[in-house]
Amino acid sequence: MARLCREPGSPSLSVSTAHFCFRRLAAIFLSAGLVAGSTVCAKAQVLKPYKEDLFSYGKVLEESDGGDYRVVDYQELRDINERDEIPERRVKRAFVSLGVKSDQVNETLDVGGRSLDVTRVGPERGAAFTVIFIHGRGGDRRLGANDFSFGGNFNRVKNLAVANGGVYYAPSVRSFDAAGAADVAGLVKHAAERSGGRPVVLACASMGSFICWGVSRDAQAVAALGGMMIMGGVADPDFTKSAAYKAKLPMFFSHGSRDSVYPAASQKALYGALKGQGYPARFVLFETGSHGTPVRMTDWRDALNWIGSR
């Protein structure tokens, strides 16, 4: 549920399903008039659908925690072989809309005195929200910008961002250490400044999760974040010591049950510990899914709308 607050000077709290009061910057997808750091009442914006029939979750096998924990049916034959023209390389044309490429540019940014290569899809300034995707080992910005790989899921997030006034960044991470995390923290701050203080969602896949956990220690970057997504990543045993934990930054996890790189049990245990403390967290487990399944199958609209509702 969204956190409700009392408007300054109002004698009582008026509640409706359409309007919420948000006290912190992390209230994502608000109207363009939001002033960072103030107590503002505004209409919550839900991302408009994009190819819901192709990308939304299929059969839910198990659900608990009010829907925040879900086990979703995944079948390789259906979700790879029948979805792709060339399995794991090129999705069928029905899954993509390439008009969004007119909003796509490659650029090199200065973040904290270091250069960072990014692909940006959407406006340079004034975006309603920002999504940043961090690739895993062996990748670069081309992975997160590829329209046809991973079942067209990157094309979907591009279209969701642009259609809703947002911007999407796919940077090339040079190292999965403190320096890499500092670069991405700099990108988070850059994006927040360019958008006029509107929040950022940082999504990290596989080894890229080390970057998310590193950024979670940067209080300034956390203040600009609306939420964080970990897709098939490693669990952080010291997350409770981070600035993100102290700020109760919404955390979305997705994982394959048969991930042989980073076992799902570790991430599930972290989710369970957080949820047990009343922390805003969500976990989607793809039954029989492997290491790359979350990048292919995570429903971006569902995840972003959930983060936006926290």
Side-chain angles (χ1 to χ4, degrees), residues 29 45-50 127-129 158-167 301 305:
F29 308 138
Q45 179 184 355
V46 177
L47 296 187
K48 295 181 291 187
Y50 172 77
F129 62 94
K158 290 180 189 180
N159 276 280
L160 283 170
V162 171
N164 289 279
V167 62
R301 180 172 179 260
N305 280 341

Side-chain angles (χ1 to χ4, degrees), residues 30-52:
L30 297 182
S31 66
L34 179 63
V35 178
S38 64
T39 301
V40 179
C41 284
K43 182 179 291 185
Q45 179 184 355
V46 177
L47 296 187
K48 295 181 291 187
Y50 172 77
K51 295 183 182 282
E52 293 296 289

Side-chain angles (χ1 to χ4, degrees), residues 90-278:
R90 187 177 182 86
V91 74
K92 292 178 179 177
R93 186 64 177 79
F95 287 80
V96 299
S97 297
L98 298 179
V100 74
K101 290 179 75 69
S102 63
D103 295 288
Q104 179 171 314
V105 297
N106 289 332
E107 56 189 0
T108 300
L109 304 176
D110 182 338
V111 291
R114 283 163 56 92
S115 62
L116 184 66
D117 293 335
V118 305
T119 294
R120 171 174 53 83
V121 187
E124 181 181 9
R125 293 182 179 274
F129 62 94
T130 301
V131 178
I132 300 173
F133 172 78
I134 306 301
H135 59 77
R137 182 173 59 182
D140 56 30
R141 64 182 176 183
R142 292 173 295 180
L143 188 149
N146 192 316
D147 293 288
F148 290 95
S149 65
F150 290 98
N153 218 9
F154 290 122
N155 180 262
R156 188 188 191 215
V157 69
K158 290 180 189 180
N159 276 280
L160 283 170
V162 171
N164 289 279
V167 62
Y168 169 71
Y169 284 94
S172 291
V173 177
R174 287 173 290 201
S175 59
F176 298 93
D177 55 13
D183 285 346
V184 174
L187 176 59
V188 169
K189 298 168 193 175
H190 169 91
E193 184 276 327
R194 291 297 176 94
S195 70
R198 296 179 182 89
V200 181
V201 173
L202 181 60
C204 300
S206 186
M207 187 175 280
S209 58
F210 285 99
I211 298 298
C212 266
W213 299 130
V215 173
S216 76
R217 269 68 175 172
D218 187 316
Q220 287 185 329
V222 168
L225 286 172
M228 195 173 281
M229 297 170 61
I230 308 291
M231 298 184 285
V234 65
D236 180 3
D238 294 322
F239 178 66
T240 55
K241 301 176 182 177
S242 70
Y245 175 81
K246 294 174 183 177
K248 289 190 176 296
L249 184 71
M251 296 294 301
F252 175 96
F253 303 96
S254 57
H255 222 99
S257 68
R258 296 182 182 175
D259 189 332
S260 60
V261 179
Y262 300 125
S266 298
Q267 205 70 282
K268 183 179 177 181
L270 175 58
Y271 162 81
L274 293 175
K275 203 66 179 176
Q277 300 166 19

